[in-house]
Amino acid sequence: MKQMLLVFIGGGTGSVARYLISKYLNDSYHTIPYGTFLVNILGSFLIGIILGLVLKTNVISQSTVLVLATGFCGGFTTFSTFAYESHLFLRTGDYISFFVYTLSSLIIGFLLVFLGMWLIK
C-alpha cells in the first residue's frame, strides 16, 4: 500500500507540472505543441538521471525511485498525449509537422535519457 501511495503522490505532482507547462506553452499560434514536447524531453532526461544514480550508487532509495521515476516522470511525461497529437497531424494532412514533432521527440528523448545516465557515470 505504501508503494501505491508513493506512486500516487509523485504521479499527481508530475501531472500538475505537465498541466502547467502545457497550459503556458501549447497555444493556437504554434503548429508544434511545445509544452508536450518539453515535458517529454525533460522527463526523459530526469528519468535518465534518476535511474543512472540508482545504477551507479545506493544514494536513492526504492521509495524515492517510486516517487520520482515511476510516479513523477510517469505523470509528467505525456506519451499518450504525444501519440494523440501526432495522430492529429496525420489526420489533418500536416505531414511535415508530424515528422518533425514525432522524430524530434523520439530522438531527443532517447538522447536525453542516455545523457542523463552518462552524466551520472
Side-chain angles (χ1 to χ4, degrees), residues 26-81:
N26 287 353
D27 58 37
S28 59
Y29 298 110
H30 298 100
T31 305
I32 302 294
Y34 291 108
T36 304
F37 178 73
L38 180 64
V39 297
N40 283 334
I41 62 173
L42 285 177
S44 296
F45 184 59
L46 182 59
I47 204 167
I49 288 177
I50 295 164
L51 297 179
L53 283 171
V54 168
L55 291 174
K56 183 178 180 181
T57 67
N58 288 330
V59 174
I60 297 180
S61 70
Q62 183 62 32
S63 293
T64 303
V65 171
L66 285 173
V67 170
L68 294 178
T70 306
F72 183 83
C73 289
F76 185 62
T77 59
T78 57
F79 200 78
S80 59
T81 303

Short mmCIF file of all heavy atoms in Angstrom, two decimals, residues 26-81:
data_model
loop_
_atom_site.label_atom_id
_atom_site.label_comp_id
_atom_site.label_asym_id
_atom_site.label_seq_id
_atom_site.Cartn_x
_atom_site.Cartn_y
_atom_site.Cartn_z
N ASN A 26 1.53 25.40 -24.90
CA ASN A 26 0.72 24.93 -26.03
C ASN A 26 -0.33 25.98 -26.33
O ASN A 26 -1.18 26.27 -25.51
CB ASN A 26 0.02 23.61 -25.69
CG ASN A 26 0.96 22.44 -25.66
OD1 ASN A 26 2.12 22.54 -25.99
ND2 ASN A 26 0.45 21.30 -25.23
N ASP A 27 -0.24 26.57 -27.49
CA ASP A 27 -1.25 27.57 -27.86
C ASP A 27 -1.58 27.45 -29.34
O ASP A 27 -0.95 26.71 -30.08
CB ASP A 27 -0.80 28.99 -27.50
CG ASP A 27 0.51 29.38 -28.16
OD1 ASP A 27 0.75 28.99 -29.32
OD2 ASP A 27 1.30 30.09 -27.52
N SER A 28 -2.56 28.17 -29.75
CA SER A 28 -3.03 28.06 -31.13
C SER A 28 -2.12 28.79 -32.12
O SER A 28 -2.32 28.68 -33.32
CB SER A 28 -4.44 28.62 -31.23
OG SER A 28 -4.46 29.97 -30.81
N TYR A 29 -1.12 29.51 -31.62
CA TYR A 29 -0.23 30.25 -32.52
C TYR A 29 0.88 29.37 -33.09
O TYR A 29 1.50 29.72 -34.06
CB TYR A 29 0.40 31.44 -31.79
CG TYR A 29 -0.63 32.44 -31.33
CD1 TYR A 29 -0.90 32.60 -29.98
CD2 TYR A 29 -1.34 33.21 -32.24
CE1 TYR A 29 -1.86 33.50 -29.55
CE2 TYR A 29 -2.29 34.11 -31.83
CZ TYR A 29 -2.54 34.26 -30.48
OH TYR A 29 -3.49 35.15 -30.07
N HIS A 30 1.14 28.25 -32.44
CA HIS A 30 2.22 27.37 -32.88
C HIS A 30 1.65 26.07 -33.43
O HIS A 30 0.68 25.54 -32.90
CB HIS A 30 3.17 27.06 -31.71
CG HIS A 30 3.83 28.27 -31.16
ND1 HIS A 30 3.41 28.88 -30.01
CD2 HIS A 30 4.90 28.99 -31.61
CE1 HIS A 30 4.18 29.92 -29.77
NE2 HIS A 30 5.09 30.01 -30.72
N THR A 31 2.27 25.57 -34.47
CA THR A 31 1.85 24.29 -35.04
C THR A 31 2.26 23.15 -34.12
O THR A 31 1.49 22.24 -33.88
CB THR A 31 2.50 24.09 -36.42
OG1 THR A 31 2.17 25.21 -37.23
CG2 THR A 31 1.99 22.83 -37.08
N ILE A 32 3.48 23.21 -33.61
CA ILE A 32 4.01 22.15 -32.75
C ILE A 32 3.57 22.41 -31.31
O ILE A 32 3.70 23.53 -30.81
CB ILE A 32 5.56 22.13 -32.82
CG1 ILE A 32 6.05 21.92 -34.25
CG2 ILE A 32 6.14 21.10 -31.87
CD1 ILE A 32 5.73 20.58 -34.84
N PRO A 33 3.07 21.39 -30.59
CA PRO A 33 2.71 21.56 -29.18
C PRO A 33 3.98 21.55 -28.31
O PRO A 33 4.41 20.51 -27.81
CB PRO A 33 1.80 20.37 -28.88
CG PRO A 33 2.07 19.38 -29.97
CD PRO A 33 2.61 20.11 -31.13
N TYR A 34 4.58 22.71 -28.15
CA TYR A 34 5.87 22.83 -27.48
C TYR A 34 5.83 22.37 -26.01
O TYR A 34 6.82 21.86 -25.50
CB TYR A 34 6.39 24.26 -27.55
CG TYR A 34 6.79 24.66 -28.95
CD1 TYR A 34 6.02 25.55 -29.69
CD2 TYR A 34 7.93 24.12 -29.54
CE1 TYR A 34 6.38 25.91 -30.97
CE2 TYR A 34 8.30 24.47 -30.82
CZ TYR A 34 7.52 25.36 -31.52
OH TYR A 34 7.88 25.71 -32.80
N GLY A 35 4.72 22.57 -25.34
CA GLY A 35 4.63 22.14 -23.94
C GLY A 35 4.76 20.63 -23.81
O GLY A 35 5.49 20.13 -22.96
N THR A 36 4.05 19.90 -24.66
CA THR A 36 4.13 18.43 -24.64
C THR A 36 5.54 17.99 -25.01
O THR A 36 6.11 17.09 -24.37
CB THR A 36 3.12 17.82 -25.62
OG1 THR A 36 1.81 18.31 -25.29
CG2 THR A 36 3.13 16.31 -25.56
N PHE A 37 6.12 18.61 -26.00
CA PHE A 37 7.47 18.29 -26.41
C PHE A 37 8.44 18.52 -25.25
O PHE A 37 9.28 17.66 -24.94
CB PHE A 37 7.87 19.15 -27.62
CG PHE A 37 9.26 18.94 -28.10
CD1 PHE A 37 9.62 17.78 -28.77
CD2 PHE A 37 10.23 19.89 -27.87
CE1 PHE A 37 10.91 17.58 -29.21
CE2 PHE A 37 11.53 19.71 -28.31
CZ PHE A 37 11.87 18.55 -28.98
N LEU A 38 8.33 19.66 -24.58
CA LEU A 38 9.23 20.00 -23.48
C LEU A 38 9.12 19.01 -22.33
O LEU A 38 10.13 18.54 -21.81
CB LEU A 38 8.98 21.42 -22.99
CG LEU A 38 9.87 21.89 -21.84
CD1 LEU A 38 11.33 21.95 -22.29
CD2 LEU A 38 9.41 23.26 -21.35
N VAL A 39 7.89 18.67 -21.92
CA VAL A 39 7.77 17.74 -20.79
C VAL A 39 8.28 16.35 -21.16
O VAL A 39 8.87 15.67 -20.32
CB VAL A 39 6.34 17.67 -20.20
CG1 VAL A 39 5.92 19.01 -19.64
CG2 VAL A 39 5.33 17.16 -21.18
N ASN A 40 8.11 15.93 -22.41
CA ASN A 40 8.61 14.62 -22.80
C ASN A 40 10.14 14.57 -22.78
O ASN A 40 10.73 13.61 -22.30
CB ASN A 40 8.07 14.21 -24.16
CG ASN A 40 6.65 13.72 -24.08
OD1 ASN A 40 6.19 13.25 -23.05
ND2 ASN A 40 5.93 13.84 -25.17
N ILE A 41 10.80 15.62 -23.28
CA ILE A 41 12.26 15.58 -23.29
C ILE A 41 12.83 15.83 -21.89
O ILE A 41 13.81 15.19 -21.49
CB ILE A 41 12.89 16.51 -24.35
CG1 ILE A 41 12.54 17.96 -24.10
CG2 ILE A 41 12.47 16.08 -25.74
CD1 ILE A 41 13.28 18.94 -25.01
N LEU A 42 12.20 16.71 -21.10
CA LEU A 42 12.66 16.91 -19.72
C LEU A 42 12.44 15.65 -18.88
O LEU A 42 13.29 15.27 -18.07
CB LEU A 42 11.93 18.09 -19.07
CG LEU A 42 12.34 19.47 -19.50
CD1 LEU A 42 11.46 20.53 -18.81
CD2 LEU A 42 13.80 19.73 -19.19
N GLY A 43 11.29 15.01 -19.06
CA GLY A 43 11.01 13.77 -18.34
C GLY A 43 11.98 12.67 -18.70
O GLY A 43 12.43 11.90 -17.85
N SER A 44 12.36 12.60 -19.98
CA SER A 44 13.34 11.61 -20.42
C SER A 44 14.69 11.87 -19.76
O SER A 44 15.36 10.94 -19.30
CB SER A 44 13.49 11.65 -21.94
OG SER A 44 12.30 11.29 -22.57
N PHE A 45 15.09 13.12 -19.72
CA PHE A 45 16.36 13.49 -19.09
C PHE A 45 16.33 13.18 -17.59
O PHE A 45 17.26 12.59 -17.04
CB PHE A 45 16.63 14.97 -19.33
CG PHE A 45 17.95 15.45 -18.81
CD1 PHE A 45 19.14 14.88 -19.25
CD2 PHE A 45 18.01 16.48 -17.89
CE1 PHE A 45 20.36 15.33 -18.78
CE2 PHE A 45 19.22 16.94 -17.42
CZ PHE A 45 20.40 16.38 -17.85
N LEU A 46 15.24 13.55 -16.92
CA LEU A 46 15.12 13.33 -15.49
C LEU A 46 15.15 11.84 -15.14
O LEU A 46 15.84 11.42 -14.21
CB LEU A 46 13.83 13.97 -14.96
CG LEU A 46 13.57 13.86 -13.47
CD1 LEU A 46 14.71 14.50 -12.68
CD2 LEU A 46 12.26 14.53 -13.11
N ILE A 47 14.43 11.03 -15.89
CA ILE A 47 14.42 9.60 -15.59
C ILE A 47 15.80 8.99 -15.86
O ILE A 47 16.23 8.07 -15.17
CB ILE A 47 13.28 8.85 -16.31
CG1 ILE A 47 12.95 7.56 -15.56
CG2 ILE A 47 13.63 8.57 -17.76
CD1 ILE A 47 11.65 6.91 -15.99
N GLY A 48 16.52 9.54 -16.86
CA GLY A 48 17.88 9.09 -17.11
C GLY A 48 18.79 9.38 -15.93
O GLY A 48 19.60 8.53 -15.52
N ILE A 49 18.66 10.56 -15.35
CA ILE A 49 19.47 10.92 -14.18
C ILE A 49 19.10 10.04 -12.98
O ILE A 49 19.97 9.50 -12.30
CB ILE A 49 19.31 12.42 -13.85
CG1 ILE A 49 20.05 13.24 -14.91
CG2 ILE A 49 19.81 12.73 -12.46
CD1 ILE A 49 19.92 14.72 -14.76
N ILE A 50 17.81 9.90 -12.72
CA ILE A 50 17.36 9.11 -11.57
C ILE A 50 17.84 7.67 -11.69
O ILE A 50 18.44 7.12 -10.77
CB ILE A 50 15.82 9.15 -11.44
CG1 ILE A 50 15.36 10.57 -11.11
CG2 ILE A 50 15.34 8.16 -10.38
CD1 ILE A 50 13.88 10.80 -11.34
N LEU A 51 17.58 7.04 -12.82
CA LEU A 51 17.96 5.64 -12.99
C LEU A 51 19.47 5.48 -13.10
O LEU A 51 20.02 4.45 -12.69
CB LEU A 51 17.23 5.03 -14.17
CG LEU A 51 15.70 4.99 -14.00
CD1 LEU A 51 15.03 4.39 -15.22
CD2 LEU A 51 15.30 4.25 -12.74
N GLY A 52 20.15 6.50 -13.63
CA GLY A 52 21.61 6.47 -13.64
C GLY A 52 22.17 6.48 -12.23
O GLY A 52 23.12 5.74 -11.91
N LEU A 53 21.59 7.29 -11.35
CA LEU A 53 22.02 7.31 -9.95
C LEU A 53 21.74 5.98 -9.26
O LEU A 53 22.54 5.51 -8.45
CB LEU A 53 21.31 8.44 -9.19
CG LEU A 53 21.85 9.84 -9.42
CD1 LEU A 53 20.92 10.88 -8.80
CD2 LEU A 53 23.25 9.98 -8.85
N VAL A 54 20.61 5.37 -9.58
CA VAL A 54 20.26 4.08 -8.99
C VAL A 54 21.29 3.02 -9.40
O VAL A 54 21.74 2.22 -8.57
CB VAL A 54 18.84 3.65 -9.40
CG1 VAL A 54 18.57 2.20 -9.03
CG2 VAL A 54 17.81 4.55 -8.74
N LEU A 55 21.66 3.02 -10.67
CA LEU A 55 22.62 2.03 -11.16
C LEU A 55 24.02 2.25 -10.62
O LEU A 55 24.76 1.30 -10.38
CB LEU A 55 22.65 2.03 -12.69
CG LEU A 55 21.40 1.49 -13.37
CD1 LEU A 55 21.49 1.69 -14.88
CD2 LEU A 55 21.18 0.02 -13.04
N LYS A 56 24.40 3.51 -10.42
CA LYS A 56 25.77 3.83 -10.00
C LYS A 56 25.95 3.81 -8.50
O LYS A 56 27.01 3.41 -8.01
CB LYS A 56 26.16 5.19 -10.54
CG LYS A 56 27.59 5.55 -10.22
CD LYS A 56 27.99 6.86 -10.80
CE LYS A 56 29.44 7.12 -10.41
NZ LYS A 56 29.92 8.38 -10.90
N THR A 57 24.97 4.25 -7.76
CA THR A 57 25.13 4.40 -6.31
C THR A 57 23.93 3.82 -5.58
O THR A 57 22.94 3.44 -6.18
CB THR A 57 25.24 5.89 -5.93
OG1 THR A 57 23.98 6.53 -6.19
CG2 THR A 57 26.33 6.59 -6.71
N ASN A 58 24.02 3.81 -4.31
CA ASN A 58 22.88 3.43 -3.46
C ASN A 58 22.30 4.66 -2.77
O ASN A 58 21.71 4.57 -1.71
CB ASN A 58 23.32 2.40 -2.41
CG ASN A 58 23.59 1.06 -3.03
OD1 ASN A 58 22.98 0.70 -4.03
ND2 ASN A 58 24.50 0.31 -2.44
N VAL A 59 22.47 5.82 -3.40
CA VAL A 59 22.03 7.08 -2.81
C VAL A 59 20.52 7.21 -2.81
O VAL A 59 19.94 7.80 -1.92
CB VAL A 59 22.68 8.27 -3.57
CG1 VAL A 59 22.14 9.60 -3.10
CG2 VAL A 59 24.19 8.22 -3.43
N ILE A 60 19.87 6.65 -3.81
CA ILE A 60 18.42 6.80 -3.94
C ILE A 60 17.73 5.52 -3.48
O ILE A 60 18.03 4.43 -3.97
CB ILE A 60 18.03 7.12 -5.40
CG1 ILE A 60 18.65 8.46 -5.82
CG2 ILE A 60 16.53 7.16 -5.56
CD1 ILE A 60 18.33 8.86 -7.23
N SER A 61 16.81 5.67 -2.56
CA SER A 61 16.07 4.51 -2.04
C SER A 61 15.01 4.06 -3.03
O SER A 61 14.63 4.81 -3.94
CB SER A 61 15.40 4.87 -0.71
OG SER A 61 14.34 5.79 -0.94
N GLN A 62 14.53 2.85 -2.83
CA GLN A 62 13.45 2.32 -3.68
C GLN A 62 12.20 3.20 -3.58
O GLN A 62 11.51 3.42 -4.57
CB GLN A 62 13.13 0.87 -3.30
CG GLN A 62 12.08 0.23 -4.19
CD GLN A 62 12.53 0.13 -5.65
OE1 GLN A 62 13.70 -0.02 -5.96
NE2 GLN A 62 11.58 0.23 -6.56
N SER A 63 11.93 3.72 -2.40
CA SER A 63 10.77 4.61 -2.22
C SER A 63 10.93 5.89 -3.04
O SER A 63 9.97 6.37 -3.65
CB SER A 63 10.59 4.96 -0.75
OG SER A 63 10.24 3.82 0.00
N THR A 64 12.13 6.43 -3.06
CA THR A 64 12.38 7.65 -3.83
C THR A 64 12.26 7.37 -5.32
O THR A 64 11.72 8.20 -6.07
CB THR A 64 13.78 8.22 -3.50
OG1 THR A 64 13.85 8.45 -2.08
CG2 THR A 64 14.05 9.51 -4.24
N VAL A 65 12.73 6.20 -5.77
CA VAL A 65 12.57 5.82 -7.17
C VAL A 65 11.09 5.73 -7.53
O VAL A 65 10.67 6.19 -8.60
CB VAL A 65 13.30 4.48 -7.47
CG1 VAL A 65 12.95 3.98 -8.86
CG2 VAL A 65 14.80 4.65 -7.33
N LEU A 66 10.30 5.17 -6.64
CA LEU A 66 8.86 5.08 -6.90
C LEU A 66 8.22 6.45 -7.02
O LEU A 66 7.40 6.70 -7.91
CB LEU A 66 8.16 4.27 -5.80
CG LEU A 66 8.36 2.77 -5.84
CD1 LEU A 66 7.75 2.12 -4.61
CD2 LEU A 66 7.77 2.18 -7.11
N VAL A 67 8.60 7.38 -6.13
CA VAL A 67 8.02 8.73 -6.19
C VAL A 67 8.49 9.47 -7.43
O VAL A 67 7.67 10.03 -8.16
CB VAL A 67 8.40 9.54 -4.92
CG1 VAL A 67 8.02 11.01 -5.08
CG2 VAL A 67 7.74 8.98 -3.70
N LEU A 68 9.80 9.45 -7.69
CA LEU A 68 10.35 10.27 -8.77
C LEU A 68 10.24 9.64 -10.16
O LEU A 68 9.75 10.27 -11.09
CB LEU A 68 11.82 10.60 -8.48
CG LEU A 68 12.07 11.48 -7.26
CD1 LEU A 68 13.57 11.68 -7.05
CD2 LEU A 68 11.36 12.81 -7.40
N ALA A 69 10.73 8.41 -10.31
CA ALA A 69 10.76 7.80 -11.65
C ALA A 69 9.39 7.28 -12.06
O ALA A 69 8.85 7.67 -13.08
CB ALA A 69 11.80 6.68 -11.70
N THR A 70 8.83 6.40 -11.24
CA THR A 70 7.54 5.81 -11.59
C THR A 70 6.41 6.83 -11.48
O THR A 70 5.62 6.98 -12.41
CB THR A 70 7.23 4.60 -10.68
OG1 THR A 70 8.33 3.68 -10.75
CG2 THR A 70 5.95 3.91 -11.10
N GLY A 71 6.36 7.53 -10.37
CA GLY A 71 5.28 8.49 -10.13
C GLY A 71 5.43 9.79 -10.91
O GLY A 71 4.67 10.05 -11.83
N PHE A 72 6.41 10.60 -10.53
CA PHE A 72 6.54 11.92 -11.12
C PHE A 72 6.77 11.84 -12.63
O PHE A 72 6.05 12.49 -13.40
CB PHE A 72 7.67 12.73 -10.47
CG PHE A 72 7.78 14.11 -11.02
CD1 PHE A 72 6.96 15.12 -10.54
CD2 PHE A 72 8.66 14.41 -12.04
CE1 PHE A 72 7.03 16.41 -11.07
CE2 PHE A 72 8.74 15.69 -12.58
CZ PHE A 72 7.92 16.69 -12.09
N CYS A 73 7.77 11.08 -13.06
CA CYS A 73 8.06 11.01 -14.50
C CYS A 73 6.90 10.38 -15.26
O CYS A 73 6.59 10.79 -16.37
CB CYS A 73 9.35 10.24 -14.76
SG CYS A 73 10.83 11.15 -14.27
N GLY A 74 6.23 9.40 -14.65
CA GLY A 74 5.07 8.79 -15.30
C GLY A 74 3.92 9.77 -15.45
O GLY A 74 3.24 9.80 -16.47
N GLY A 75 3.70 10.60 -14.44
CA GLY A 75 2.65 11.61 -14.53
C GLY A 75 3.05 12.81 -15.36
O GLY A 75 2.22 13.46 -15.98
N PHE A 76 4.34 13.12 -15.37
CA PHE A 76 4.85 14.30 -16.05
C PHE A 76 4.94 14.11 -17.55
O PHE A 76 4.54 14.98 -18.32
CB PHE A 76 6.22 14.65 -15.47
CG PHE A 76 6.82 15.92 -16.00
CD1 PHE A 76 6.20 17.14 -15.79
CD2 PHE A 76 8.02 15.90 -16.67
CE1 PHE A 76 6.76 18.33 -16.27
CE2 PHE A 76 8.60 17.07 -17.15
CZ PHE A 76 7.97 18.28 -16.94
N THR A 77 5.49 12.99 -17.98
CA THR A 77 5.62 12.77 -19.42
C THR A 77 4.27 12.42 -20.00
O THR A 77 3.39 11.92 -19.31
CB THR A 77 6.65 11.67 -19.73
OG1 THR A 77 6.25 10.47 -19.10
CG2 THR A 77 8.03 12.07 -19.27
N THR A 78 4.13 12.66 -21.26
CA THR A 78 2.80 12.59 -21.86
C THR A 78 2.81 11.80 -23.15
O THR A 78 2.38 12.29 -24.19
CB THR A 78 2.29 14.01 -22.14
OG1 THR A 78 3.25 14.64 -22.99
CG2 THR A 78 2.12 14.81 -20.89
N PHE A 79 3.28 10.58 -23.08
CA PHE A 79 3.38 9.83 -24.33
C PHE A 79 2.02 9.60 -24.97
O PHE A 79 1.90 9.66 -26.19
CB PHE A 79 4.12 8.51 -24.12
CG PHE A 79 4.66 7.97 -25.40
CD1 PHE A 79 5.82 8.48 -25.94
CD2 PHE A 79 3.99 6.98 -26.09
CE1 PHE A 79 6.32 8.01 -27.14
CE2 PHE A 79 4.48 6.50 -27.28
CZ PHE A 79 5.64 7.02 -27.81
N SER A 80 1.00 9.38 -24.17
CA SER A 80 -0.32 9.19 -24.76
C SER A 80 -0.80 10.47 -25.44
O SER A 80 -1.38 10.43 -26.53
CB SER A 80 -1.33 8.73 -23.71
OG SER A 80 -1.42 9.68 -22.67
N THR A 81 -0.54 11.61 -24.85
CA THR A 81 -0.89 12.88 -25.47
C THR A 81 -0.05 13.10 -26.72
O THR A 81 -0.56 13.54 -27.75
CB THR A 81 -0.67 14.05 -24.48
OG1 THR A 81 -1.45 13.79 -23.32
CG2 THR A 81 -1.08 15.37 -25.09
#
